[in-house]
Amino acid sequence: MDAVIETPWTVPAIKAALDQSPLVREGEMTLRVLEGADPVLLATMHEYGDLPVYLSVGGAQIVCSVLLWPVSEQADRHAFNEFLLKAQRVVPLSNFAITNVGGEDVYELMGELSCKTTLQTILIELRTLAENAIDATELRETFGAEAA
């Protein structure tokens, strides 16, 4: 099997392919395209407590991401951020970021893929990111979190 496809993916094409794929387990996820300037695929991962995973396509890459929790809720943010930079291997194949949502900084977990990768690899990324988001929550508890 080739490691890449000829035509780059688009968000609607990924949704259609996942909807038809026997690789997706029954009831594993619900997929919805969120229309905007650039469409985004919302994959609600039912096996991970209905965790929302967002997928977008831009340029030469596919970006999958999960919004975690507000930065303001993280106890000892400095120590936590330093830990994340030093211990990146704790959540393999994913990266931590801070993004602004509605005027508030939020921790985000993300993974990137080539826009010519296989559907199987996209599905693996969605599952891995969901699992890593659960693991990230355990990291948060290790460092404590202030009450919202």
Side-chain angles (χ1 to χ4, degrees):
M1 177 187 281
D2 291 332
V4 296
I5 60 172
E6 290 296 320
T7 305
W9 287 105
T10 63
V11 167
I14 292 171
K15 182 189 182 304
L18 287 171
D19 281 341
Q20 299 299 315
S21 177
L23 298 172
V24 177
R25 296 183 291 270
E26 186 172 336
E28 178 178 10
M29 65 181 76
T30 301
L31 303 169
R32 185 167 59 113
V33 175
L34 306 176
E35 296 295 342
D38 292 313
V40 173
L41 181 66
L42 169 59
T44 303
M45 306 294 288
H46 301 300
E47 295 178 2
Y48 296 91
D50 292 338
L51 180 73
V53 178
Y54 299 92
L55 180 149
S56 60
V57 178
Q61 70 178 359
I62 296 169
V63 177
C64 299
S65 68
V66 174
L67 297 176
L68 297 172
W69 58 86
V71 171
S72 62
E73 292 179 8
Q74 184 61 52
D76 198 350
R77 285 178 257 176
H78 175 75
F80 184 70
N81 293 344
E82 185 174 350
F83 171 78
L84 293 179
L85 291 173
K86 288 181 177 178
Q88 188 56 34
R89 291 177 186 90
V90 173
V91 285
L93 305 176
S94 299
N95 300 302
F96 281 93
I98 295 175
T99 190
N100 193 282
V101 177
E104 182 173 34
D105 284 344
V106 176
Y107 285 106
E108 179 179 28
L109 194 62
M110 54 198 310
E112 299 88 11
L113 302 166
S114 165
C115 66
K116 290 188 175 183
T117 195
T118 64
L119 183 66
Q120 182 177 14
T121 301
I122 294 170
L123 184 56
I124 290 168
E125 178 64 29
L126 290 170
R127 291 172 178 156
T128 299
L129 193 62
E131 189 169 312
N132 286 347
I134 301 303
D135 291 345
T137 301
E138 293 172 9
L139 289 176
R140 177 186 190 199
E141 293 167 2
T142 298
F143 278 85
E146 297 172 359

